[in-house]
Amino acid sequence: MSFLKPILIAVIIILALLIIVKANRFATSDQPSNERPKDPVKPEKKPEKPNSQTPIEFFLVYVGRRVPVTHYPFTIGSRNDNDLIITDSTVSRQHAELFRKNGQVCLRDLGSLNGTIVNKVPRSEIVIVGGERIQLGTTVLQIERAIDDVSDDTQFIRR
Amino acid sequence: MAKKKVQKKVQRTQKKEPARADKKYLGVQTLVLFILFQLVSLLTVVVSGRGKAYLYMMIPLVIITYGGWFFVRKMRADTPFFLDVAMLLTFGTMIQCMLLKEDTVPKSLLIIYVLSAVMALVAGFLYKRCSFIASANGTALLIVVSIVLYLATLVLGAAVGGGVRNWISVGGMSIQPSEFNKIIYVLVMAGLLCTKDHPGKKRIWASIFVTLVNLGFLGIQGEFGTFLLILCTFLCLIFLFVPDIKVFASIFSILVAAGAAVAACCVSLLKITGGSSNFGPMQFILNQVQKIVNRFAVWLDPNIDPQGASYQILQARKALLNSNLFGSDTTTPLSNPTNDMVFPALTERCGLLIALTVCILFGLLLIRGTRIYFHCQDRYHQAVCAGLCFQLILQSFIIIGGSIGMFPLTGITLPLISRGGTSLMATFIILAVILVISAGTLWNGRRDYSSYDSKLQKARAVYPKRVSSVRNRNRRRTRVDDTRES
């Protein structure tokens, strides 16, 4: 019987290593390898949503212009792939984001350098009701709830 | 290369959800592999002649691993972290069964496993619901609880081997409260340092005071493994969560200087008095110093007292020398193989490769813990996760290093592998809390903003009839005011 033990222990170690490799999946989570086949299907559905006229709930007032929040997540930052681009040296490249959570709209700070200050209080995540005053770096945005008339400046939205 | 980088960037920006949103969905393959892994471990123990005991131990082990897996999946917590833990636990059960004296039902081990699983469930549930502990009142309550535990140890404590008085017996079972105090200490420090964006001087002083109280009680009990652990946790938390690096630098330098001074004083005291004194407390201090000095002396040269103080270390080294890659059949008698010396025992009975795997698993725990720490949204939970994870890894590092002769040996347990009942309970609680944190949907730990808002308004308010308004008229305005006017 004693000759079995080394073999069994070797098997255990091989199994343990396999589980480690499987479980820890050394590729980073930013590059999902298995979910690629699903992705091409989704983008076809997604563009329909803005066209089907989901009612716009909020506007961001930025330097006197009203920017509608057309989709969620709605990112704000200084890099030019954001939905609202703010060219300000105190605003981070990816500064904040509006997203939906349990039916409510929330604002989340994306790890910015100067922080996101909502109504004078620095927040990492907060539910948005409308009428908030958001300070990103030195830029101040006002959030407005949508009323029926829509007079928007859409040049600030990436299409 | 450049193209690849661009592609990566595009992918990253297109995915708007944070990385935590799509949790690892581990397939059936891993489950099958894990079941196979446990079956083979069972076979190994059967071959070693402790099959019956391990069969009984499989009942709680299977319930803990697969039940835990179910909960983790349901919570959408960090599955890889849990799998590493489950594998470590399987190795631990294996070696504990191999170390049993005869092949019967291991009742005490069964009770320990069941109790710790229940404790872990309760702790996870409490942590998920109980936002109270992050407030000022909650922190005060936790401090009081830890001091009560320490006092209970001092009053009711019974000396168990080596003169360490850190056990109290409750209902026929002996409990080591310092294991729970470690967890409470991390929670207190997180509540003090991380419920505000920038902890002020008051909070830093309070945290230093709490640390000193903890260290003092541990010193009185003569438990220097936990003493070292809490000291390192303190440094780690100060380093990570006090934004001003000067605080860490000054505390670290003061600690080093004070440590050197105290060590020099103690050694010279020992030389002057010769290790005995008429004054009671003095004698106590001298005993403690003598103990630590002995540990160092034995570590440097194990051959000075081969039958007494250095017997443990010598036997451990013999066991390490006796081991081969896949486990040897002959065994050396170790002085405390189930607790302190579990690592040499594991190396001897299961082979060097399994010992190496255990080390790798602890390293992976550190990596996964760091990932959880970085994915945390909230600073309080970040602090709790960092502190607990750091403690777990440091504990395993110290005891593995101690038993293989890298450091002087201190009597703490190897988490998840040693038998120590309270230690296993505390480890399970720590793991439950970390897993709940990794699930993400938790209360906000920054609870001081309710008063912060009104405080800010008070500071800004102008009372025209007061002298202070005149004094503050020329005060430099803050940035918030500037932007409002522009």
Side-chain angles (χ1 to χ4, degrees), chain A residues 5-6 8-9 12-13 15-16 19-20 22-24 29-31 73 79 81 97 120-122 133 138, chain B residues 8 12-13 15-16 19 29 33 37 40-41 44 80 83 87 326 349-350 353 364 368 449 453 483-484:
Chain A
K5 199 181 165 189
L8 285 173
I9 282 179
I12 280 192
I13 286 157
L15 281 174
I19 294 174
I20 287 174
K22 267 258 173 267
N24 286 286
S29 58
D30 293 332
Q31 311 152 292
R79 200 161 68 190
D81 56 359
E97 145 185 274
K120 292 187 194 171
V121 184
R133 185 190 181 81
T138 55
Chain B
K8 258 186 210 170
R12 215 171 275 169
T13 47
K15 238 176 67 175
K16 291 285 160 56
Q29 275 179 333
L33 276 178
F37 169 73
V40 176
S41 74
T44 318
L83 271 182
M87 273 154 76
F326 298 106
R349 281 164 213 243
C350 302
L353 283 178
L364 280 175
R368 299 307 311 187
Y449 281 131
D453 220 340
T483 48
R484 192 197 293 154

Side-chain angles (χ1 to χ4, degrees), chain B residues 370-382:
Chain B
T370 321
R371 274 177 95 99
I372 294 170
Y373 163 77
F374 277 123
H375 282 309
C376 270
Q377 298 282 324
D378 192 274
R379 211 144 157 275
Y380 177 82
H381 300 301
Q382 256 190 350

Side-chain angles (χ1 to χ4, degrees), chain A residues 1-32 34-36 39 46 71-75 79 81-83 90 94 97 99-101 108-110 114 117-125 133 135 137-140 158, chain B residues 8-9 11-13 15-19 22 24-26 29-30 33-34 36-38 40-41 43-44 46-48 79-81 83-84 87 91 94 98 197 325-329 348-351 353-354 357 360-361 364 368 371 375 377-378 444 446 449 452-453 456-457 460 479-481 483-485:
Chain A
M1 285 297 272
S2 65
F3 69 95
L4 265 175
K5 199 181 165 189
I7 302 170
L8 285 173
I9 282 179
V11 172
I12 280 192
I13 286 157
I14 291 166
L15 281 174
L17 289 180
L18 272 179
I19 294 174
I20 287 174
V21 171
K22 267 258 173 267
N24 286 286
R25 225 198 265 173
F26 288 104
T28 53
S29 58
D30 293 332
Q31 311 152 292
N34 297 346
E35 287 132 38
R36 264 179 203 161
D39 282 341
K46 270 182 183 172
H71 56 276
Y72 299 95
F74 188 90
T75 55
R79 200 161 68 190
D81 56 359
N82 287 299
D83 296 317
T90 55
Q94 281 183 305
E97 145 185 274
F99 66 104
R100 274 193 181 280
K101 187 179 175 185
R108 175 202 285 152
D109 187 66
L110 295 172
N114 291 318
I117 299 170
V118 180
N119 291 343
K120 292 187 194 171
V121 184
R123 302 277 189 188
S124 62
E125 193 176 322
R133 185 190 181 81
Q135 192 190 349
T138 55
T139 310
V140 177
R158 180 173 57 103
Chain B
K8 258 186 210 170
K9 244 187 189 174
Q11 269 186 5
R12 215 171 275 169
T13 47
K15 238 176 67 175
K16 291 285 160 56
E17 291 279 305
D22 63 323
K24 309 279 172 302
Y25 182 81
L26 291 171
Q29 275 179 333
T30 324
L33 276 178
F34 198 80
L36 271 178
F37 169 73
Q38 284 196 333
V40 176
S41 74
L43 279 181
T44 318
V46 168
V47 166
S48 316
T79 322
F81 186 87
L83 271 182
D84 293 344
M87 273 154 76
F91 280 135
M94 231 171 92
M98 281 185 183
D197 262 351
L325 281 186
F326 298 106
S328 60
D329 296 326
E348 192 183 27
R349 281 164 213 243
C350 302
L353 283 178
I354 279 196
T357 319
I360 291 174
L361 280 173
L364 280 175
R368 299 307 311 187
R371 274 177 95 99
H375 282 309
Q377 298 282 324
D378 192 274
N444 199 349
R446 303 168 164 188
Y449 281 131
Y452 185 81
D453 220 340
L456 210 80
Q457 278 165 7
R460 291 270 154 69
R479 236 167 35 184
V480 180
D481 291 331
T483 48
R484 192 197 293 154
E485 282 160 24

Side-chain angles (χ1 to χ4, degrees), chain B residues 188-208:
Chain B
V188 167
M189 287 291 284
L192 281 176
L193 291 179
C194 303
T195 44
K196 270 191 169 182
D197 262 351
H198 297 282
K201 258 186 188 172
K202 216 168 155 188
R203 285 186 173 228
I204 293 172
W205 277 113
S207 69
I208 291 173

Side-chain angles (χ1 to χ4, degrees), chain A residues 62 76-79 86-96 109 111-117 134-140, chain B residues 479 483:
Chain A
Y62 168 49
I76 305 167
S78 66
R79 200 161 68 190
I86 300 174
T87 48
D88 184 344
S89 60
T90 55
V91 174
S92 299
R93 269 159 287 179
Q94 281 183 305
H95 200 110
D109 187 66
S112 60
L113 183 67
N114 291 318
T116 304
I117 299 170
I134 308 173
Q135 192 190 349
L136 314 167
T138 55
T139 310
V140 177
Chain B
R479 236 167 35 184
T483 48

